[in-house]
Amino acid sequence: MKIPNITGIIDRRILINFTVDADIAKKMVPPPFSPQLFNGKAIAGICLIRLKKVRPKGMPAFLGVGSENGAHRIAVEWHENGELKQGVYIPRRDTSSLFNTVAGGRVFPGRHYHAKFDVNEHDDQYHVAFTSSDGTAISVDAKVADQLNPDSIFGTLDVASDFFKAGATGYSPNGNKYEGLVLYTDNWKVQALEVSAVKSSFFEDESIFPKGSVKFDNALLMTNVQHDWSSGCDKPMLVSS
């Protein structure tokens, strides 16, 4: 599956990031991927993104569509054509859009679960939550901050920004293959968020993450960013046998 080039606006993108023990992360990530480690820890999280005016490139903006979306992801690396690549592995995607739910795995990479979103944003404060069709749930309350969480493994906002900017390629499972999507942005700029509350049924599941193996690290914000998506490759990556 090779999707057409897609363009639109990232109206709001929140990255909620966790550190994960490396041995646990290795169990989450299938070959040919390996967890990308930072100071000995794997980095996983959830991307909460609202898109507007999304349409095939060349189509008028007024024909574009919008949606709220969530993607569970983990930073990974892999070898391709003799080079070490970096990106994210996305085991699941959730969306407010019925079209995306139907098109997931057909037009867009990976299955998309239909989810109900609860969003309240004002005066640089953000509440974003969703509950998906299978009961998966996430909720975050945060406000714009001048600096990165002082307890973050990254130390500074610039270091965190560079790490996540390098992970622009995302692979999602679809049957016996992984389908890639590359994000291109005209202006990469992140702000730090101070988080007052965060809940995730996925990261709080001790059958996946034994007690103490996962820890909230930081949250980042992007707003009003022109973006393009493309498949970024001529064929999907096959599942290793």
Side-chain angles (χ1 to χ4, degrees):
M1 179 184 71
K2 185 175 177 64
I3 70 168
N5 288 346
I6 300 293
T7 191
I9 295 173
I10 296 172
D11 191 47
R12 180 262 298 133
R13 185 189 196 206
I14 293 176
L15 297 177
I16 307 170
N17 304 308
F18 297 80
T19 58
V20 180
D21 288 352
D23 57 338
I24 299 300
K26 288 177 183 177
K27 298 176 183 178
M28 298 171 54
V29 175
F33 307 109
S34 298
Q36 181 186 357
L37 303 184
F38 187 92
N39 288 349
K41 293 287 188 179
I43 307 298
I46 304 164
C47 173
L48 296 170
I49 186 168
R50 181 169 60 239
L51 302 173
K52 289 186 174 181
K53 301 181 180 179
V54 174
R55 73 275 184 196
K57 201 160 188 179
M59 182 180 289
F62 73 87
L63 293 177
V65 298
S67 60
E68 289 277 1
N69 304 273
H72 288 68
R73 30 186 272 157
I74 181 167
V76 294
E77 56 190 18
W78 66 94
H79 285 90
E80 184 178 331
N81 298 325
E83 295 184 25
L84 184 64
K85 303 284 189 176
Q86 297 175 343
V88 291
Y89 173 66
I90 303 172
R92 70 170 290 142
R93 296 177 181 271
D94 299 90
T95 180
S96 66
S97 167
L98 287 173
F99 173 76
N100 290 358
T101 303
V102 173
R106 297 176 176 87
V107 179
F108 304 124
R111 177 181 177 182
H112 288 56
Y113 292 83
H114 190 240
K116 182 178 180 180
F117 281 76
D118 175 26
V119 178
N120 188 355
E121 303 171 359
H122 60 89
D123 301 326
D124 287 338
Q125 299 191 57
Y126 293 84
H127 168 79
V128 183
F130 72 74
T131 301
S132 198
S133 55
D134 66 348
T136 298
I138 173 72
S139 176
V140 62
D141 291 277
K143 63 180 181 180
V144 174
D146 293 330
Q147 63 180 7
L148 192 69
N149 173 18
D151 296 326
S152 171
I153 196 172
F154 294 103
T156 70
L157 181 60
D158 286 343
V159 173
S161 176
D162 289 345
F163 180 89
F164 291 104
K165 184 178 182 180
T169 301
Y171 275 95
S172 299
N174 188 8
N176 67 340
K177 57 187 180 297
Y178 303 115
E179 294 170 334
L181 199 62
V182 184
L183 172 66
Y184 301 93
T185 58
D186 288 350
N187 179 29
W188 177 273
K189 181 181 179 181
V190 301
Q191 295 174 275
L193 288 173
E194 179 184 336
V195 173
S196 57
V198 59
K199 290 184 174 295
S200 164
S201 62
F202 180 73
F203 287 103
E204 293 167 8
D205 185 345
E206 292 188 2
S207 69
I208 303 173
F209 303 97
K211 192 173 181 64
S213 65
V214 61
K215 180 183 177 183
F216 170 74
D217 187 81
N218 71 81
L220 303 173
L221 172 70
M222 300 177 71
T223 59
N224 195 31
V225 180
Q226 178 69 41
H227 73 282
D228 294 333
W229 281 328
S230 75
S231 293
C233 53
D234 293 328
K235 59 183 179 180
M237 190 179 297
L238 298 177
V239 175
S240 298
S241 59

